[in-house]
PDB file of all heavy atoms in Angstrom:
ATOM      1  N   SER Y  75      55.591 133.501-129.644  1.00 90.00           N
ATOM      2  CA  SER Y  75      54.202 133.525-129.341  1.00 90.00           C
ATOM      3  C   SER Y  75      53.279 133.059-130.457  1.00 90.00           C
ATOM      4  O   SER Y  75      52.283 132.290-130.172  1.00 90.00           O
ATOM      5  CB  SER Y  75      53.769 135.045-128.994  1.00 90.00           C
ATOM      6  OG  SER Y  75      54.483 135.930-129.711  1.00 90.00           O
ATOM      7  N   TRP Y  78      53.437 129.406-130.240  1.00 92.00           N
ATOM      8  CA  TRP Y  78      52.725 128.735-129.081  1.00 92.00           C
ATOM      9  C   TRP Y  78      51.271 128.697-129.403  1.00 92.00           C
ATOM     10  O   TRP Y  78      50.605 127.666-129.225  1.00 92.00           O
ATOM     11  CB  TRP Y  78      52.893 129.638-127.856  1.00 92.00           C
ATOM     12  CG  TRP Y  78      52.493 128.980-126.622  1.00 92.00           C
ATOM     13  CD1 TRP Y  78      53.130 128.035-125.942  1.00 92.00           C
ATOM     14  CD2 TRP Y  78      51.268 129.216-125.938  1.00 92.00           C
ATOM     15  NE1 TRP Y  78      52.414 127.729-124.904  1.00 92.00           N
ATOM     16  CE2 TRP Y  78      51.241 128.414-124.857  1.00 92.00           C
ATOM     17  CE3 TRP Y  78      50.185 130.070-126.232  1.00 92.00           C
ATOM     18  CZ2 TRP Y  78      50.160 128.293-124.018  1.00 92.00           C
ATOM     19  CZ3 TRP Y  78      49.153 129.990-125.299  1.00 92.00           C
ATOM     20  CH2 TRP Y  78      49.133 129.130-124.251  1.00 92.00           C
ATOM     21  N   LEU Y  83      46.388 125.377-131.216  1.00 89.00           N
ATOM     22  CA  LEU Y  83      45.457 124.988-132.227  1.00 89.00           C
ATOM     23  C   LEU Y  83      45.644 123.538-132.542  1.00 89.00           C
ATOM     24  O   LEU Y  83      44.789 122.693-132.712  1.00 89.00           O
ATOM     25  CB  LEU Y  83      45.550 125.827-133.486  1.00 89.00           C
ATOM     26  CG  LEU Y  83      44.718 127.144-133.404  1.00 89.00           C
ATOM     27  CD1 LEU Y  83      44.967 127.853-134.737  1.00 89.00           C
ATOM     28  CD2 LEU Y  83      43.303 126.865-133.155  1.00 89.00           C
ATOM     29  N   VAL Y  87      43.196 120.233-132.547  1.00 82.00           N
ATOM     30  CA  VAL Y  87      42.996 119.261-133.675  1.00 82.00           C
ATOM     31  C   VAL Y  87      43.252 117.851-133.254  1.00 82.00           C
ATOM     32  O   VAL Y  87      42.529 116.990-133.527  1.00 82.00           O
ATOM     33  CB  VAL Y  87      43.769 119.674-134.857  1.00 82.00           C
ATOM     34  CG1 VAL Y  87      43.595 118.691-135.984  1.00 82.00           C
ATOM     35  CG2 VAL Y  87      43.444 121.082-135.409  1.00 82.00           C
ATOM     36  N   THR Y  90      45.041 116.256-128.051  1.00 80.00           N
ATOM     37  CA  THR Y  90      45.977 115.995-126.987  1.00 80.00           C
ATOM     38  C   THR Y  90      45.751 116.988-125.850  1.00 80.00           C
ATOM     39  O   THR Y  90      44.870 117.895-125.952  1.00 80.00           O
ATOM     40  CB  THR Y  90      47.382 116.135-127.445  1.00 80.00           C
ATOM     41  OG1 THR Y  90      47.524 117.334-128.327  1.00 80.00           O
ATOM     42  CG2 THR Y  90      47.797 114.967-128.341  1.00 80.00           C
ATOM     43  N   LEU Y  91      46.455 116.869-124.755  1.00 82.00           N
ATOM     44  CA  LEU Y  91      46.352 117.859-123.609  1.00 82.00           C
ATOM     45  C   LEU Y  91      46.684 119.205-124.144  1.00 82.00           C
ATOM     46  O   LEU Y  91      47.654 119.393-124.903  1.00 82.00           O
ATOM     47  CB  LEU Y  91      47.361 117.526-122.583  1.00 82.00           C
ATOM     48  CG  LEU Y  91      46.952 116.465-121.494  1.00 82.00           C
ATOM     49  CD1 LEU Y  91      47.908 116.456-120.381  1.00 82.00           C
ATOM     50  CD2 LEU Y  91      45.539 116.694-121.082  1.00 82.00           C
ATOM     51  N   LEU Y  92      45.901 120.230-123.894  1.00 85.00           N
ATOM     52  CA  LEU Y  92      46.141 121.589-124.386  1.00 85.00           C
ATOM     53  C   LEU Y  92      47.451 122.052-123.766  1.00 85.00           C
ATOM     54  O   LEU Y  92      47.649 122.020-122.591  1.00 85.00           O
ATOM     55  CB  LEU Y  92      45.023 122.596-123.932  1.00 85.00           C
ATOM     56  CG  LEU Y  92      43.689 122.320-124.565  1.00 85.00           C
ATOM     57  CD1 LEU Y  92      42.736 123.216-123.912  1.00 85.00           C
ATOM     58  CD2 LEU Y  92      43.655 122.443-126.076  1.00 85.00           C
ATOM     59  N   GLN Y 143      52.129 111.635-118.277  1.00 79.00           N
ATOM     60  CA  GLN Y 143      50.715 111.190-118.060  1.00 79.00           C
ATOM     61  C   GLN Y 143      50.513 109.719-117.844  1.00 79.00           C
ATOM     62  O   GLN Y 143      49.473 109.212-117.661  1.00 79.00           O
ATOM     63  CB  GLN Y 143      49.957 111.537-119.248  1.00 79.00           C
ATOM     64  CG  GLN Y 143      49.678 113.107-119.445  1.00 79.00           C
ATOM     65  CD  GLN Y 143      48.998 113.267-120.799  1.00 79.00           C
ATOM     66  OE1 GLN Y 143      47.908 112.794-120.972  1.00 79.00           O
ATOM     67  NE2 GLN Y 143      49.678 113.860-121.749  1.00 79.00           N
TER      68      GLN Y 143
ATOM     69  N   ARG L  15      60.520 135.458-122.860  1.00 79.00           N
ATOM     70  CA  ARG L  15      59.188 135.112-123.379  1.00 79.00           C
ATOM     71  C   ARG L  15      59.019 133.524-123.412  1.00 79.00           C
ATOM     72  O   ARG L  15      57.986 133.018-123.152  1.00 79.00           O
ATOM     73  CB  ARG L  15      59.072 135.639-124.802  1.00 79.00           C
ATOM     74  CG  ARG L  15      57.666 135.465-125.279  1.00 79.00           C
ATOM     75  CD  ARG L  15      57.106 136.612-126.180  1.00 79.00           C
ATOM     76  NE  ARG L  15      57.885 137.669-126.724  1.00 79.00           N
ATOM     77  CZ  ARG L  15      57.965 137.979-127.910  1.00 79.00           C
ATOM     78  NH1 ARG L  15      57.310 137.355-128.835  1.00 79.00           N
ATOM     79  NH2 ARG L  15      58.729 138.941-128.315  1.00 79.00           N
ATOM     80  N   SER L  23      52.358 126.618-120.782  1.00 88.00           N
ATOM     81  CA  SER L  23      52.059 125.219-121.267  1.00 88.00           C
ATOM     82  C   SER L  23      51.823 124.250-120.118  1.00 88.00           C
ATOM     83  O   SER L  23      50.859 123.535-120.194  1.00 88.00           O
ATOM     84  CB  SER L  23      53.158 124.783-122.202  1.00 88.00           C
ATOM     85  OG  SER L  23      53.381 125.600-123.243  1.00 88.00           O
ATOM     86  N   ASP L  30      44.185 120.975-117.934  1.00 82.00           N
ATOM     87  CA  ASP L  30      43.450 120.180-118.945  1.00 82.00           C
ATOM     88  C   ASP L  30      43.331 118.731-118.387  1.00 82.00           C
ATOM     89  O   ASP L  30      42.383 117.987-118.507  1.00 82.00           O
ATOM     90  CB  ASP L  30      44.112 120.170-120.247  1.00 82.00           C
ATOM     91  CG  ASP L  30      43.224 119.641-121.354  1.00 82.00           C
ATOM     92  OD1 ASP L  30      42.037 119.691-121.072  1.00 82.00           O
ATOM     93  OD2 ASP L  30      43.686 119.287-122.396  1.00 82.00           O
ATOM     94  N   ARG L  31      44.554 118.328-117.759  1.00 80.00           N
ATOM     95  CA  ARG L  31      44.493 116.851-117.157  1.00 80.00           C
ATOM     96  C   ARG L  31      43.327 116.719-116.118  1.00 80.00           C
ATOM     97  O   ARG L  31      42.843 115.703-115.977  1.00 80.00           O
ATOM     98  CB  ARG L  31      45.899 116.743-116.602  1.00 80.00           C
ATOM     99  CG  ARG L  31      46.081 115.367-115.923  1.00 80.00           C
ATOM    100  CD  ARG L  31      46.584 114.535-117.041  1.00 80.00           C
ATOM    101  NE  ARG L  31      46.989 113.137-116.496  1.00 80.00           N
ATOM    102  CZ  ARG L  31      46.651 112.022-116.891  1.00 80.00           C
ATOM    103  NH1 ARG L  31      45.865 111.970-117.981  1.00 80.00           N
ATOM    104  NH2 ARG L  31      46.971 110.876-116.372  1.00 80.00           N
ATOM    105  N   ARG L  39      38.573 123.978-125.096  1.00 82.00           N
ATOM    106  CA  ARG L  39      38.486 122.908-126.046  1.00 82.00           C
ATOM    107  C   ARG L  39      37.333 122.981-126.990  1.00 82.00           C
ATOM    108  O   ARG L  39      37.518 122.946-128.254  1.00 82.00           O
ATOM    109  CB  ARG L  39      38.569 121.541-125.412  1.00 82.00           C
ATOM    110  CG  ARG L  39      39.218 120.414-126.179  1.00 82.00           C
ATOM    111  CD  ARG L  39      39.189 119.261-125.410  1.00 82.00           C
ATOM    112  NE  ARG L  39      40.487 119.103-124.624  1.00 82.00           N
ATOM    113  CZ  ARG L  39      41.547 118.710-125.201  1.00 82.00           C
ATOM    114  NH1 ARG L  39      41.617 118.455-126.514  1.00 82.00           N
ATOM    115  NH2 ARG L  39      42.613 118.622-124.495  1.00 82.00           N
ATOM    116  N   LEU L  46      37.944 125.310-135.387  1.00 83.00           N
ATOM    117  CA  LEU L  46      38.609 124.378-136.378  1.00 83.00           C
ATOM    118  C   LEU L  46      37.616 123.629-137.229  1.00 83.00           C
ATOM    119  O   LEU L  46      38.076 122.974-138.128  1.00 83.00           O
ATOM    120  CB  LEU L  46      39.551 123.436-135.629  1.00 83.00           C
ATOM    121  CG  LEU L  46      40.668 124.104-135.055  1.00 83.00           C
ATOM    122  CD1 LEU L  46      41.338 123.151-133.892  1.00 83.00           C
ATOM    123  CD2 LEU L  46      41.734 124.410-136.136  1.00 83.00           C
ATOM    124  N   MET L 128      44.427 111.482-135.724  1.00 57.00           N
ATOM    125  CA  MET L 128      44.952 112.859-135.769  1.00 57.00           C
ATOM    126  C   MET L 128      46.349 112.872-135.038  1.00 57.00           C
ATOM    127  O   MET L 128      47.165 113.722-135.298  1.00 57.00           O
ATOM    128  CB  MET L 128      44.073 113.846-135.018  1.00 57.00           C
ATOM    129  CG  MET L 128      42.784 113.844-135.730  1.00 57.00           C
ATOM    130  SD  MET L 128      41.498 114.481-134.631  1.00 57.00           S
ATOM    131  CE  MET L 128      41.269 113.087-133.595  1.00 57.00           C
TER     132      MET L 128
END
Side-chain angles (χ1 to χ4, degrees):
Chain Y
S75 31
W78 192 80
L83 277 180
V87 175
T90 46
L91 277 192
L92 293 177
Q143 289 174 62
Chain L
R15 191 145 7 129
S23 302
D30 197 20
R31 184 85 173 132
R39 205 175 270 285
L46 290 161
M128 298 160 289

